[in-house]
């Protein structure tokens, strides 16, 4: 089972990711900043139909997510245990700042939202992998399968009886984050990104002020 303090932090990060992805989905007219499986499916369809504008934006989002993943992973390795989580979180915060600045400068969404795709890729390197549940990630398809698998194993007494519920909490946190993002976007538009940005900034301050080993056991 994943320790409760780490689970809580991971759920908050996952909710923030869901919040951001909904905002990106609306701004990009149906494309994703973190759900790369959806973008890859759209890319294949666009290539088949010759919809080159769709192919361009989906391919760009996938490429930036990959680059963000590389950048986040490298930062975590270079900074080490002491500063790794803070360094990656700082990169994510920087992508929020870049996104909002470009939006205020009237860049089109298919350009300024690319920064958030890079941030989404990097976010998956913020929390180290401990326990049975993947925490703080920006995608949960595997989490749904893990919930079903653990529930089946629990029925046969091959897994802790409630471990499947931890997987479901991750899924629910993404759903709630998406709900809040959608509601907030109706009121504030792109400015609503300040809300998840503040969450990541809070994590950054916590990682810098305290040793990561204490923030995330």
């Amino acid at each position: 089972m994943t320790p409760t303090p780490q689970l809580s932090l991971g759920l908050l990060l996952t909710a923030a990711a869901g919040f951001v992805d909904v905002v990106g989905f609306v701004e990009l007219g149906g494309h994703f900043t973190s759900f790369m499986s959806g973008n890859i499916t759209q890319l294949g369809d666009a290539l088949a139909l010759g919809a080159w504008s769709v192919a361009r934006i989906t391919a760009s989002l996938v490429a930036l997510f990959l680059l963000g993943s590389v950048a986040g992973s490298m930062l975590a390795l270079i900074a080490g245990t002491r500063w790794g989580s803070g360094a990656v979180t700082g990169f994510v915060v920087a992508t929020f700042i870049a996104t909002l600045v470009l939006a205020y400068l009237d860049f089109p969404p298919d350009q300024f939202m690319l920064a958030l795709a890079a941030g989404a890729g990097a976010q998956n390197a913020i929390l180290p992998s401990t326990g049975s549940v993947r925490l703080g990630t920006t995608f949960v398809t595997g989490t749904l399968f893990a919930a079903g698998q653990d529930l089946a194993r629990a029925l046969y007494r091959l897994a802790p009886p409630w471990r499947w519920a931890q997987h479901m909490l991750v899924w629910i946190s993404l759903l709630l984050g998406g709900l809040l993002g959608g509601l907030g976007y109706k009121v504030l538009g792109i400015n609503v990104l300040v809300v998840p940005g503040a969450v990541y900034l809070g994590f950054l301050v916590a990682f810098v002020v305290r040793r990561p080993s204490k923030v995330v056991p």
Side-chain angles (χ1 to χ4, degrees), residues 13 37 40 53 57 59 62 87 90 99 104 111 116 144-145 151 160 170 174 180 183 192 201 212 217:
L13 281 176
S37 296
I40 289 292
S53 61
I57 183 59
V62 171
T99 297
Y104 294 152
Q111 293 181 20
L116 282 188
L144 278 178
F145 169 75
L151 178 56
V170 175
L174 190 78
L180 293 175
L183 293 173
V192 78
L201 183 60

Side-chain angles (χ1 to χ4, degrees), residues 116-127:
L116 282 188
Q123 176 176 331
N124 299 289
I126 290 179
L127 295 182

Side-chain angles (χ1 to χ4, degrees), residues 13-216:
L13 281 176
T14 301
F19 192 114
V20 174
D21 208 27
V22 165
V23 175
F25 182 82
V26 177
E27 281 285 332
L28 293 168
H31 306 300
F32 305 93
T33 56
S34 64
F35 180 46
M36 292 301 115
S37 296
N39 287 335
I40 289 292
T41 302
Q42 292 179 336
L43 176 59
D45 179 65
L47 292 174
L49 297 177
W52 306 121
S53 61
V54 175
R56 177 185 58 80
I57 183 59
T58 51
S60 297
L61 288 165
V62 171
L64 266 294
F65 184 91
L66 176 61
L67 290 175
S69 300
V70 173
S73 299
M74 289 184 65
L75 283 171
L77 290 172
I78 294 171
T81 303
R82 176 65 180 89
W83 298 108
S85 294
V88 179
T89 307
F91 178 85
V92 174
V93 171
T95 65
F96 273 83
I97 295 173
T99 297
L100 290 172
V101 169
L102 292 175
Y104 294 152
L105 292 175
D106 290 327
F107 279 74
D110 62 355
Q111 293 181 20
F112 68 73
M113 295 302 290
L114 293 178
L116 282 188
Q123 176 176 331
N124 299 289
I126 290 179
L127 295 182
S129 297
T130 57
S132 60
V133 182
R134 290 199 66 192
L135 297 173
T137 57
T138 60
F139 46 86
V140 296
T141 302
T143 301
L144 278 178
F145 169 75
Q149 183 183 53
D150 264 354
L151 178 56
R153 290 173 59 85
L155 293 173
Y156 279 88
R157 301 181 184 278
L158 297 175
W162 292 105
R163 191 170 66 185
W164 65 271
Q166 289 190 333
H167 297 293
M168 288 302 299
L169 284 175
V170 175
W171 183 85
I172 291 171
S173 70
L174 190 78
L175 174 61
L176 291 177
L179 173 62
L180 293 175
L183 293 173
Y185 185 85
K186 289 182 178 180
V187 179
L188 299 174
I190 193 65
N191 297 307
V192 78
L193 286 177
V194 171
V195 176
V199 172
Y200 292 111
L201 183 60
F203 270 85
L204 175 59
V205 171
F207 286 135
V208 170
V209 172
R210 303 175 61 188
R211 287 185 60 87
S213 59
K214 294 181 180 180
V215 177
V216 182

